[in-house]
């Protein structure tokens, strides 16, 4: 049923679907945390690398499977192809996130490499992969969503807002790092990950709100 | 000139306001302690409740030899078994350890705790006055003024003791005409390890045979200088320590030979002490354990009883059978005064240290049958009775000082504290009058009473010392408030001026400017506010370079996004980010250096990439790359100027290129890679830098005066602005580069490239919004980036906001001896060269390259935009400094206020005034 809906056009994505996707993504994050804590009894503070990878391992399939349903031009692009696009988008996103983090002052030492990589995997799945699934390599769409920030329609909101939220959240999450509180969570990239996830959730809430407003406005217009 | 005055008056007004605000605030903030002119006299004691036969205390020693070893770390003296790990510099002063081990009752090693600031001058002041030195004195360290407060040397003179001094000439500056004989040697030539020490040694041993002195002071400087130049873990340092060991061996042997009854040193006390410690890099000034922990070794030449254990605060090393007690340096003046029997310095708040006192005391009534070691209670009681008298006098003197101080100073101690002090003192006194009843009774009851009473006095004295330490900084809140108020007023003026400029700019462009709030403005304000509020926390101040770089990279990412949006100048934006990354690595290298010396930071090597390049290739690269960069810089200069015709500029540029060649020659002559440079060594070392300085000065004079005589109106305003900018930048650059050392040309190249990228990227946000005309829009974002870059440059060139962050070595490039004025100027140029001087002078970059229509009628437009840029840059700097000032005021009771906030305040304020002056000068020059 979802496939049929997605086939028709991007604009027909209903606010309920947006809600569903966001709830699933959010739940995936929560499940990742839960599994890390209760099954493997690790957490972000004491073993950031493994935990981040674990969360990513839960989140990434959910994201890639969900967003591939809403791929653009479904008649030309099969579901599997969309998934493949997402898989290809992942390393590109990882690279961009790593470069961005390094430019902003993430530790560049080799001993931090694993942590940076795991963090970037998660960041990439939150920011880059959804758009890669939906739009593939269409430059104009990427340009519209990420460079100009001019999303149109709930689908664009759904891609744009959580991604921006994650990046901005990560940016703010970096601020406690230099403080001399000597807490273990001040280490790279723990508080940055918390910030990114908080920003991601905030972005999802915003996107949902906008989607509701959007469809609400449309209904008003239709009336 | 009238045209200049239209906007130039604002720069003058703002500069004036800043200076006033800073002066007022500084007066309120850095004022700490009122120095009282009173001094103690023998006759004063009649007012005290304590009884003593002679003047204050009975003299316990006749002669005192004080050997001060500057920057003596505690671990230079203490046995290495006290530390976790044996380091190469430990156990070098073996003779002291041997003496302390062999005669534990007459020779002892103490850990002395100095109070920050740990600079020699402050420490000598603290050692002799027994008071707490103040922060503002740090500034006087380069021209030591005479001490006006009562001090131990003054007391010696007043009471007819003869003092001989040799070594560091700071003593003669602090105590002019106090010494019977003095052999001062210049102390500021850091590179000279031996002159002072050899002078000391030359006079020290013969003096020991002389009879014409009572107190001898010998101040050795070699260890301090070796630390400054080579660091603690170096061969010169170890050689120095071994040399001292030999000297001390000779001195002790000499004293022991002369210590028999009736001989010259029958009743002498030898004190070997440091004035402060030093970090492993040889820096000192702050309050880290390494800097404040120094050592006192005291030795008398008689066998004496050991103290009752209640008064011993030792950390013992049972395996080596040796105990080391710790003693605040504050106690030194009063203890030594009591031993020599002179009145205690009026302002001293120290306590007569029982252990140091015990080393010498008893010499006046040592019985032949040596009953001391037999635990004879009467003897012990006698000793204690005597000590009670001394400590009673001591407490009375401190109480008197506190009373006089709080009477004469408006904001002294709070009445609550004063009441507590009086209460403690009254309790101790009551105890004493009670104990005098027991005087004639059996010793069994008297001994605990005496001990209890000493305890009461100790309680009083330690409370006073603690209170003085915590509360001595007297902030004048009214003045601080006024200063902040004027600072805020100046910010308001700044904004007003910028608005005015905006208006006339829009007016002459005939543009109806819309709301005027662009994204760039919002982002710039947000970034400045983030940076300003980050100064509230000590952690962000410590990592200021990284914070600035983080913000710089953030703006870089935003610009990159814009360039994606417009699909142009992607390369520039990416290069800019790459440069931000490179600067960040440089900043982290600088931070690591800082961490090695700072008490607040722990070193982390997160930036290490683990590159393992073979040693020789690495050194070879380190020699070659800066010279290559210099050549590239010179080539750029040549290319930049070749298309323009302006006689003087050509002259100036040629001069600079010649200077660059000289710099390259200088570096080659300093390096060891090429052997052919050997013959240059003697010649080039000083003359090349001096030639470069004079060429730079000549270029500046040329640029300043020639336009006065030959007024050439060029139609090409942009071109002439560019030429002017290039020529003044090049005139300044050669001096800055040689002072910065080999990193100089690389940093210069990097900032040149970054400036180019920023210039290209300016206004990219609005590029296609309103056509070509709007390119000339006033966009604060690139100026913010430029100012953040300037902050990054400050930290990337290995500076940081602390006095040990000053690169004193730079002041000696081209000079061997210490001459105050040129060296202060060189140090200023080195510290603020890239971050302030070149940054402000390079600001016209954003006008000279802008794609505004280049016609004569737009001339006024250009100058308005130039002024606007200067004003915005000034506003950004002023906002940050205002934030610093406010944060310093808020954090004035912070633990790190003297260690971190005050130096940051001083650096920022000096930077602000410098920026104002430079903006003022530049606005005249460029107009």
């Amino acid at each position: 049923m979802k496939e049929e809906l997605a086939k028709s056009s991007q604009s027909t994505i209903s606010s309920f679907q947006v809600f569903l996707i966001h709830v699933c993504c959010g739940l995936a994050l929560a499940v990742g945390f839960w599994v890390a804590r209760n099954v493997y009894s690790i957490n972000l503070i004491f073993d950031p690398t493994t935990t981040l990878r674990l969360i990513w391992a839960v989140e990434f399939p959910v994201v890639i499977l969900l967003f591939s349903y809403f791929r653009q031009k479904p008649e030309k692009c099969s579901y599997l192809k969309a998934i493949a696009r997402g898989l290809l988008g992942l390393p590109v996103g990882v690279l961009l996130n790593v470069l961005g983090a390094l430019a902003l002052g993430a530790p560049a030492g080799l001993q931090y490499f694993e942590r940076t990589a795991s963090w970037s995997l998660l960041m990439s799945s939150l920011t880059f992969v959804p758009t890669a699934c939906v739009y593939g390599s269409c430059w104009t769409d990427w340009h519209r969503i990420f460079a100009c920030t001019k999303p149109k329609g709930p689908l664009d909101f759904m891609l744009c807002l959580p991604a921006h939220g994650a990046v901005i959240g990560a940016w703010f999450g970096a601020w406690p790092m230099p403080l001399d509180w000597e807490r273990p969570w001040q280490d790279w990239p723990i508080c940055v990950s918390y910030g990114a996830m908080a920003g991601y959730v905030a972005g999802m809430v915003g996107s949902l709100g906008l989607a509701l407003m959007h469809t609400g406005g449309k209904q008003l217009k239709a009336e | 000139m009238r045209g200049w005055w239209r906007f130039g008056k604002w720069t003058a007004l703002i500069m004036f306001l800043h200076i006033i605000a800073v002066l007022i605030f500084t007066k309120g903030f850095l004022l700490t302690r009122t120095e009282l002119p009173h001094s103690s006299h023998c006759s004063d004691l009649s007012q005290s409740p304590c009884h003593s036969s002679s003047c204050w205390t009975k003299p316990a020693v006749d002669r005192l030899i004080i050997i001060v070893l500057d920057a003596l770390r505690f671990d230079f003296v203490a046995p290495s078994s006290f530390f976790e790990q044996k380091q190469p510099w430990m156990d070098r002063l073996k003779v002291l350890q041997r003496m302390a081990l062999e005669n534990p009752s007459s020779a002892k090693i103490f850990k002395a705790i100095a109070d920050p600031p740990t600079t020699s001058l402050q420490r000598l002041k603290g050692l002799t006055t027994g008071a707490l030195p103040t922060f503002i004195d740090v500034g006087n360290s380069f021209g030591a003024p005479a001490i006006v407060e009562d001090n131990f040397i003054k007391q010696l003179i007043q009471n007819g003791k003869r003092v001989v001094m040799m070594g560091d000439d700071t003593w003669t500056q602090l105590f002019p005409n106090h010494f019977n004989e003095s052999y001062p040697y210049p102390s500021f030539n850091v590179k000279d390890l031996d002159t002072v020490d050899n002078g000391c040694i030359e006079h020290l041993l013969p003096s020991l045979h002389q009879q014409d002195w009572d107190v001898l002071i010998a101040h050795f400087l070699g260890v301090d200088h070796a630390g400054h130049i080579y660091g603690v873990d170096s061969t010169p340092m170890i050689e120095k320590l071994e040399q001292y060991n030999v000297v001390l061996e000779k001195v002790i042997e000499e004293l022991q030979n002369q210590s028999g009854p009736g001989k010259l040193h029958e009743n002498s006390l030898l004190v070997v002490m440091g004035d402060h410690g030093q970090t492993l890099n040889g820096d000192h000034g702050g309050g880290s354990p390494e800097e404040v922990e120094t050592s006192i070794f005291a030795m008398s030449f008689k066998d004496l009883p050991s103290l009752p254990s209640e008064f011993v605060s030792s950390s013992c090393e049972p395996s080596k059978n040796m105990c080391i007690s710790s003693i605040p340096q504050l106690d030194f003046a009063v203890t030594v005064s009591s031993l020599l029997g002179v009145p205690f310095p009026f302002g001293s708040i120290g306590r007569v240290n029982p252990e140091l006192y015990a080393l010498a005391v008893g010499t006046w009534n040592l019985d032949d049958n040596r009953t001391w070691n037999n635990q004879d209670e009467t003897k012990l009681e006698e000793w204690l009775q005597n000590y009670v008298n001394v400590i009673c006098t001591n407490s009375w003197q401190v109480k008197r000082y506190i009373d006089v101080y709080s009477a004469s100073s408006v904001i002294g101690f709070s009445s609550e504290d004063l009441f507590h002090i009086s209460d403690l003192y009254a309790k101790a006194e009551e105890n004493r009058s009670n104990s005098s009843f027991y005087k004639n009774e059996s010793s069994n009851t008297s001994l605990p009473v005496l001990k209890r009473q000493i305890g009461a006095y100790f309680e009083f004295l330690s409370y006073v010392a603690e209170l003085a330490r915590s509360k001595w900084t007297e902030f004048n809140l009214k003045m601080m408030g006024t200063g902040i108020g004027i600072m805020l007023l100046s910010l308001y003026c700044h904004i007003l001026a910028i608005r005015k400029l905006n208006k006339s700019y829009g007016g002459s462009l005939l543009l109806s400017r819309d709301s005027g709030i662009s994204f760039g403005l919002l982002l710039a304000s947000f970034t400045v506010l983030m940076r300003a509020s980050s100064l509230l926390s000590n952690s962000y101040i410590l990592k200021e370079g990284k914070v600035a770089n983080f913000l710089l990279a953030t703006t870089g990412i935003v610009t990159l996004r814009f360039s994606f949006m417009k699909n142009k100048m992607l390369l520039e934006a990416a290069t800019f980010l790459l440069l931000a990354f490179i600067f960040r690595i440089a900043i982290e290298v600088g931070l690591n250096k800082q961490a090695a010396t700072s008490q607040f930071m722990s070193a982390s090597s997160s930036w290490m990439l683990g590159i393992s390049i073979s040693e020789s290739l690495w050194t070879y690269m380190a020699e070659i790359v800066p010279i290559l960069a210099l050549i590239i810089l010179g080539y750029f200069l040549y290319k930049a100027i070749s298309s323009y015709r302006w006689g003087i500029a050509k002259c100036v540029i040629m001069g600079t290129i010649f200077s660059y060649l000289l710099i390259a020659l200088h570096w080659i002559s300093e390096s060891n890679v090429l052997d052919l440079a050997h013959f240059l060594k003697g010649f080039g070392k000083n003359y090349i830098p001096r030639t470069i300085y004079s060429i730079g000065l000549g270029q500046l004079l040329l640029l300043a005066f020639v336009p006065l005589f030959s007024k050439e109106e060029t139609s090409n305003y942009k071109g002439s602005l560019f030429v002017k900018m290039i020529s003044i930048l090049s005139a300044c650059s050669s001096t800055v580069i040689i002072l910065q050392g080999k990193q100089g040309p690389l940093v210069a190249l990097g900032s040149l490239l970054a400036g180019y990228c920023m210039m290209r990227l300016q206004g990219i946000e609005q590029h296609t919004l309103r056509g070509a005309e709007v390119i000339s829009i006033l966009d604060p974002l690139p100026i913010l980036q430029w100012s953040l870059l300037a902050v990054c440059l400050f930290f990337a060139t290995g500076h940081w906001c602390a006095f040990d962050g000053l690169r004193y070595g730079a002041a000696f490039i081209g000079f061997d001896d210490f001459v105050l004025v040129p060296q202060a100027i060189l140090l200023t140029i080195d510290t603020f060269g890239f971050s302030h001087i070149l940054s402000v002078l390079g600001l016209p970059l954003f006008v000279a390259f802008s794609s505004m229509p280049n016609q004569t009628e737009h001339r006024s437009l250009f100058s308005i935009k130039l002024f606007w840029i200067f004003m915005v840059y000034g506003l950004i700097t002023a906002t940050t400094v205002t934030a610093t000032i406010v944060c310093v005021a808020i954090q004035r009771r912070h633990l790190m206020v003297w260690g971190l906030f005050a130096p940051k305040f001083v650096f920022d304020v000096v930077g602000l005034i410098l920026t104002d002056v430079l903006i003022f000068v530049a606005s005249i020059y460029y107009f």
Side-chain angles (χ1 to χ4, degrees):
Chain A
M1 177 197 133
K2 264 181 189 165
E3 220 165 354
E4 276 171 20
L5 268 173
K7 250 176 209 166
S8 50
S9 161
Q10 66 155 105
S11 54
T12 58
I13 181 167
S14 72
S15 34
F16 178 69
Q17 282 170 319
V18 172
F19 174 73
L20 217 60
I21 285 187
H22 283 341
V23 164
C24 286
C25 291
L27 274 181
L29 276 185
V31 166
F33 269 108
W34 185 85
V35 168
R37 169 175 292 196
N38 292 344
V39 179
Y40 293 93
S41 54
I42 47 174
N43 64 27
L44 209 47
I45 292 167
F46 296 111
D47 193 355
T49 317
T50 326
T51 316
L52 278 173
R53 277 199 204 142
L54 196 68
I55 296 173
W56 169 78
V58 179
E59 175 81 10
F60 178 63
V62 174
V63 166
I64 203 166
L65 291 176
L66 280 178
F67 280 92
S68 292
Y69 273 117
F70 300 98
R71 62 198 179 274
Q72 278 306 82
K73 296 177 192 142
E75 60 278 2
K76 280 188 193 166
C77 169
S78 71
Y79 183 64
L80 281 178
K81 199 178 166 195
I83 289 180
R85 289 198 304 214
L87 286 175
L88 276 179
L90 181 73
V92 181
V94 167
L95 190 68
L96 283 180
N97 274 301
V98 167
L99 288 181
L102 285 182
L104 285 173
L110 282 178
Q111 69 268 41
Y112 283 95
F113 177 75
E114 271 193 43
R115 291 179 176 208
T116 315
S118 324
W119 172 81
S120 304
L121 274 177
L122 183 64
M123 279 303 280
S124 177
S125 339
L126 298 184
T127 56
F128 218 75
V129 172
T131 319
C133 288
V134 175
Y135 287 112
S137 58
C138 176
W139 175 250
T140 45
D141 289 316
W142 282 92
H143 195 252
R144 185 182 74 241
I145 293 175
F146 288 113
C148 304
T149 337
K150 284 189 184 118
K152 43 185 188 188
L155 185 61
D156 280 7
F157 286 136
M158 201 171 75
L159 298 172
C160 172
L161 282 180
H164 278 84
V167 170
I168 293 171
W171 189 86
F172 277 104
W175 277 95
M177 280 176 66
L179 286 171
D180 59 352
W181 298 343
E182 312 224 332
R183 300 291 155 84
W185 53 262
Q186 282 177 296
D187 232 9
W188 165 256
I190 301 163
C191 50
V192 178
S193 310
Y194 279 129
M197 284 183 248
Y200 182 67
V201 172
M204 290 197 300
V205 172
S207 137
L208 187 63
L210 280 175
L212 284 173
M213 266 167 59
H214 199 81
T215 44
K218 239 180 199 165
Q219 276 162 9
L220 276 179
K221 255 182 212 167
E223 279 167 21
Chain B
M1 210 58 191
R2 267 191 59 84
W4 176 82
W5 183 244
R6 195 173 147 215
F7 298 112
K9 64 183 178 211
W10 287 102
T11 58
L13 172 73
I14 286 162
M15 180 167 70
F16 176 72
L17 279 178
H18 283 166
I19 291 173
I20 298 282
V22 164
L23 281 182
I24 292 179
F25 185 87
T26 311
K27 217 164 173 338
F29 175 64
L30 290 182
L31 175 143
T32 45
R33 200 169 58 95
T34 323
E35 295 187 335
L36 297 181
H38 310 281
S39 60
S40 307
H41 299 281
C42 265
S43 52
D44 295 348
L45 201 70
S46 55
Q47 301 154 16
S48 87
C50 320
H51 36 74
S52 177
S53 47
S54 56
C55 176
W56 290 54
T57 54
K58 233 188 252 175
V61 294
D62 298 335
R63 310 183 89 187
L64 176 65
I65 300 109
I66 303 177
I67 295 178
V68 182
L69 306 179
D70 212 288
L72 186 75
R73 284 166 64 96
F74 175 58
D75 58 4
F76 286 168
V77 179
S80 57
S81 53
F82 274 81
F83 305 95
E84 282 174 13
Q85 218 179 345
K86 184 176 162 35
Q87 302 286 359
W89 59 85
M90 291 177 179
D91 290 336
R92 297 289 166 178
L93 297 172
K94 285 219 169 66
V95 60
L96 300 184
Q97 297 176 2
R98 203 178 64 227
M99 288 298 149
L101 200 62
E102 283 171 3
N103 326 305
S105 62
S106 65
K108 204 156 189 172
I109 291 173
F110 296 89
K111 178 198 266 191
I113 310 290
D115 292 288
T118 46
T119 53
S120 291
L121 184 125
Q122 261 62 48
R123 286 295 89 231
L124 293 186
K125 210 170 167 178
L127 278 173
T128 51
T129 59
L132 289 166
T134 55
F135 182 78
I136 195 89
D137 291 334
V138 168
N140 297 336
S141 196
F142 278 94
I147 294 182
V148 288
E149 278 186 300
D150 192 17
N151 59 67
F152 149 63
I153 306 289
K154 191 172 161 187
Q155 287 301 335
L156 290 176
I157 308 302
Q158 266 181 10
N159 291 280
K161 305 274 183 194
R162 295 155 299 172
V163 187
V164 176
M165 197 288 303
M166 54 198 67
D168 188 347
D169 62 354
T170 316
W171 284 87
T172 47
Q173 288 161 358
L174 284 173
F175 308 103
N177 312 320
H178 280 59
F179 303 113
N180 282 43
E181 265 176 83
S182 63
Y183 309 97
Y185 295 90
S187 59
F188 275 114
N189 190 354
V190 182
K191 285 181 180 170
D192 179 358
L193 301 187
D194 294 320
T195 308
V196 178
D197 291 0
N198 291 345
C200 270
I201 296 166
E202 188 188 324
H203 293 105
L204 177 59
L205 290 170
S207 295
L208 293 179
H209 299 283
Q210 309 286 321
Q211 280 192 320
D212 58 352
W213 53 266
D214 301 300
V215 175
L216 182 145
I217 299 164
H219 192 141
F220 289 76
L221 272 178
V223 163
D224 180 59
H225 287 183
H228 279 304
I229 298 290
Y230 303 103
V232 169
D233 194 0
S234 64
T235 340
M237 176 67 83
I238 288 163
E239 282 168 8
K240 270 283 138 196
L241 290 172
E242 279 173 347
Q243 183 192 13
Y244 289 172
N245 192 42
V246 174
V247 173
L248 290 172
E249 248 169 15
K250 279 186 195 154
V251 168
I252 289 173
E253 195 189 324
E254 193 61 47
L255 290 174
Q256 277 173 333
N257 288 343
Q258 303 266 353
S259 67
K263 283 197 181 158
L264 209 50
H265 291 291
E266 183 190 0
N267 225 346
S268 292
L269 179 71
L270 168 72
V271 176
V272 179
M273 63 189 298
D275 52 350
H276 50 74
Q278 56 179 314
T279 62
L280 290 183
N281 282 6
D283 297 316
H284 54 85
S288 70
E290 281 187 316
E291 290 163 284
V292 298
E293 283 176 14
T294 175
S295 190
I296 291 182
F297 166 86
M299 178 172 187
S300 70
F301 296 89
K302 304 252 163 158
D303 280 334
L304 290 167
S306 46
L307 258 191
S309 57
E310 288 97 305
F311 305 117
V312 180
S313 59
S314 309
S315 67
C316 287
E317 187 68 25
S319 59
K320 289 205 87 177
N321 195 17
M322 189 181 205
C323 293
I324 289 186
S325 328
S326 109
I327 165 173
Q329 244 185 19
L330 208 57
D331 295 355
F332 179 78
V334 68
T335 309
V336 173
S337 299
S338 70
L339 289 175
L340 285 166
V342 296
F344 307 158
F346 188 87
S348 160
I349 48 170
R351 149 190 106 154
V352 176
N353 188 284
E355 289 168 77
L356 189 52
Y357 189 71
L359 280 179
V361 129
T363 31
W364 70 77
N365 57 357
L366 189 70
D367 289 354
D368 293 327
N369 50 359
R370 290 171 43 100
T371 44
W372 290 85
N373 288 342
N374 307 336
Q375 291 289 316
D376 189 336
E377 295 257 319
T378 28
K379 286 296 167 195
L380 185 58
E381 191 198 326
E382 206 173 303
W383 191 93
L384 283 179
Q385 188 64 50
N386 182 28
Y387 184 67
V388 165
N389 274 338
V390 172
I391 200 90
C392 166
T393 316
N394 187 190
S395 305
W396 165 77
Q397 168 259 328
V398 171
K399 179 75 171 56
R400 176 181 68 164
Y401 174 64
I402 297 292
D403 288 344
V404 173
Y405 185 84
S406 31
S408 62
S409 175
V410 191
I411 325 162
F413 302 98
S414 72
S415 53
E416 200 179 310
D417 288 326
L418 281 176
F419 180 76
H420 193 70
I421 289 175
S422 304
D423 191 41
L424 280 176
Y425 185 68
K427 255 186 211 158
E429 274 307 302
E430 198 184 335
N431 229 340
R432 199 189 69 86
S433 46
N434 286 347
S435 76
S436 47
F437 286 117
Y438 293 100
K439 220 184 164 190
N440 298 327
E441 291 179 22
S442 77
S443 58
N444 286 341
T445 45
S446 146
L447 212 55
V449 171
L450 283 173
K451 282 178 185 167
R452 203 176 334 128
Q453 193 193 341
I454 289 173
Y457 281 130
F458 276 9
E459 201 182 331
F460 164 73
L461 286 170
S462 57
Y463 181 77
V464 170
E466 202 177 308
L467 184 74
R469 275 209 186 89
S470 68
K471 294 241 174 148
W472 216 290
T473 47
E474 271 182 27
F475 299 111
N476 190 335
L477 289 180
K478 262 186 207 158
M479 282 186 130
M480 284 164 77
T482 318
I484 292 175
I486 297 175
M487 217 48 216
L488 292 176
L489 182 74
S490 85
L491 284 188
Y492 177 71
C493 287
H494 236 128
I495 292 170
L496 215 65
I498 290 171
R499 288 216 151 169
K500 226 175 152 113
L501 282 164
N502 265 341
K503 216 179 253 172
S504 52
Y505 189 73
S508 48
L509 255 186
L510 299 173
L511 278 176
S512 55
R513 306 220 345 111
D514 47 4
S515 64
I517 295 173
S518 61
F519 179 76
L521 180 66
L522 280 180
L523 181 70
S525 325
F526 172 74
T527 313
V528 170
L529 282 182
M530 275 310 259
R531 184 160 138 65
S533 48
S534 79
L535 295 171
L536 197 58
S537 160
N538 55 304
S539 318
Y540 292 126
I541 290 183
L542 268 178
K543 304 250 171 91
E544 204 193 343
K546 284 194 88 171
V547 173
N549 193 262
F550 181 71
L551 294 172
L552 182 68
T554 307
T555 60
I557 287 176
V558 172
T559 333
L560 182 68
R561 206 174 139 252
F562 279 130
S563 74
F564 265 117
M565 199 197 282
K566 311 288 183 220
N567 261 333
K568 31 173 162 175
M569 291 188 275
L570 278 171
L571 186 65
E572 280 89 344
T575 314
F576 183 69
L577 269 184
L578 182 71
L579 281 170
F581 177 74
I582 291 171
F583 279 128
R584 175 216 148 183
I585 299 288
I587 288 169
E588 284 185 0
V589 174
L591 270 179
N592 255 34
K593 189 173 181 296
Q594 180 184 4
T597 65
S598 171
Q599 53 182 316
F600 310 122
M601 290 173 72
S602 54
S604 72
S605 52
S606 67
W607 56 275
M608 288 286 198
L609 289 165
I611 318 161
S612 54
I613 298 174
S614 61
E615 195 76 10
S616 63
L617 180 71
W618 195 237
T619 46
Y620 202 63
M621 288 278 286
E623 302 286 347
I624 289 298
V625 169
I627 292 171
L628 268 180
L630 257 186
I631 293 168
I632 296 170
L633 268 183
Y635 175 73
F636 274 152
L637 278 182
Y638 183 75
K639 284 300 271 184
I641 212 72
S642 58
S643 58
Y644 292 94
R645 287 177 178 279
W646 203 43
I648 315 159
K650 272 231 159 98
C651 244
V652 170
I653 298 289
M654 285 307 159
T656 305
I657 292 174
F658 179 63
S659 292
Y660 285 174
L661 289 178
L662 285 180
I663 293 174
L665 199 65
H666 180 64
W667 287 341
I668 292 172
S669 75
E670 273 191 341
S671 75
N672 305 317
V673 173
L674 291 175
D675 283 335
L676 68 101
H678 226 69
F679 72 99
L680 264 169
K681 265 200 168 146
F683 168 76
K685 207 177 137 228
N686 284 338
Y687 287 102
I688 290 180
R690 286 188 196 178
T691 319
I692 291 166
Y693 302 150
S694 41
I695 289 177
L697 197 65
Q699 287 169 320
L700 284 184
L701 288 177
L702 204 66
L703 287 173
F705 289 115
V706 170
L708 291 183
F709 305 119
S710 63
K711 198 82 179 166
E712 45 181 321
E713 263 318 306
T714 45
S715 58
N716 186 352
Y717 182 73
K718 222 161 74 176
S720 80
L721 188 67
F722 173 71
V723 169
K724 271 181 170 178
M725 182 183 83
I726 289 288
S727 42
I728 195 159
L729 282 182
S730 73
C732 298
S733 68
S734 49
T735 307
V736 173
I737 286 175
I738 193 173
L739 287 179
Q740 293 283 350
K742 297 207 167 123
Q743 54 180 344
L746 298 172
V747 175
L749 260 185
S751 46
L752 203 68
L753 197 56
Y756 173 77
C757 293
M758 278 181 226
M759 180 273 300
R760 295 272 295 157
L761 289 165
Q762 67 171 322
I764 188 169
E765 175 201 354
Q766 287 131 328
H767 264 194
T768 45
L769 281 184
R770 283 178 281 180
E773 182 73 16
V774 204
I775 289 168
S776 53
I777 207 113
L778 303 171
D779 182 13
L781 196 58
I783 300 161
L784 172 79
Q785 289 179 332
W786 188 247
S787 118
L788 285 175
L789 181 75
V791 179
C792 289
L793 284 179
F794 179 80
F795 291 96
T797 47
H799 298 95
W800 59 89
C801 292
F803 295 103
D804 58 355
L806 293 173
R807 291 152 38 96
Y808 291 107
F812 285 94
I813 295 175
F815 293 89
D816 279 332
D817 309 308
F818 179 81
V819 196
L820 183 67
V821 176
Q823 251 131 51
I825 292 173
L826 288 185
L827 201 58
T828 315
I829 294 178
D830 168 66
T831 308
F832 296 109
F834 275 117
S835 57
H836 291 74
I837 300 173
L838 292 185
S839 297
V840 172
L841 293 178
L843 272 174
L845 181 78
F846 295 108
V847 184
F849 282 109
S850 71
S851 42
M852 270 202 281
N854 190 8
Q855 292 149 8
T856 19
E857 65 255 37
H858 281 297
R859 199 202 141 112
S860 71
L861 216 59
F862 275 116
S863 51
I864 292 173
K865 181 157 186 194
L866 191 59
F867 267 117
W868 184 84
I869 286 174
F870 278 132
M871 289 312 247
V872 170
Y873 187 86
L875 179 66
I876 292 169
T877 315
T879 314
T880 322
V881 175
T882 311
T884 309
I885 291 178
V886 171
C887 294
V888 162
I890 292 172
Q891 304 277 34
R892 64 188 182 281
R893 292 281 175 214
H894 195 277
L895 175 71
M896 299 175 187
V897 67
W898 299 121
L900 204 69
F901 286 98
K904 166 78 184 144
F905 165 77
V906 172
F907 272 79
D908 264 19
V909 155
V910 172
L912 175 73
I913 304 289
L914 190 68
T915 309
D916 282 334
V917 171
L918 282 169
I919 285 178
F920 182 73
V921 171
S923 69
I924 293 176
Y925 171 76
Y926 285 123
F927 187 75

